Amino acid sequence: MSIRPEHRQRGHRVRLEWGRAGAALLAAECAAVVVVDVLSFCTAVDVAVGRGAEVLPQRSDDAAAAAREATARGAVPAGDRHGPGPSLRPSSLVGIAAGTLLATGASVLSFQWQSNGVNLADGGHFSGVTTSNLAVANADASVVANYRC
């Protein structure tokens, strides 16, 4: 794969890339690589809207207010990604009915960081394993893995 020098972003403290090839490039050149996956949310919105549903975006800092707003608007609250019913997991929205108002609500945001597909627990190198920000302290070769949330 041919990489143009400006695409390497070497003059920047934070570098951004896309896809497996981009991640591999950064992994070869950077001390730490953090993967942020926002595509699932974007895909969920696209699937819902593509089937004629509407999406009610809500702030994630007040679950009670989000639930009240969803109820007042007659919206179907998106549930836990791993539970039954509609959620922000794209595959759960394939059968959503046209005209449905789907609320993104605060309650749908739950986090569990995994390393190579195994749930992490706070302690040792890791803290914040059930938050949106995983902290890795004193990183060494033992923590090199594929991480996801």
Side-chain angles (χ1 to χ4, degrees), residues 19 41 63 65 68 75 90 95 97:
F41 174 79
R68 285 191 303 272

Side-chain angles (χ1 to χ4, degrees), residues 16-42:
L16 305 173
E17 259 304 342
W18 183 267
R20 289 180 188 259
L25 172 72
L26 291 182
E29 297 183 358
C30 298
V33 175
V34 177
V35 176
V36 179
D37 177 14
V38 296
L39 289 178
S40 183
F41 174 79
C42 296

Side-chain angles (χ1 to χ4, degrees), residues 105-126:
S107 62
V108 304
L109 298 176
S110 62
F111 302 94
Q112 174 60 63
W113 283 92
Q114 295 181 333
S115 171
N116 293 330
V118 176
N119 288 350
L120 292 173
D122 283 323
H125 291 286
F126 305 105

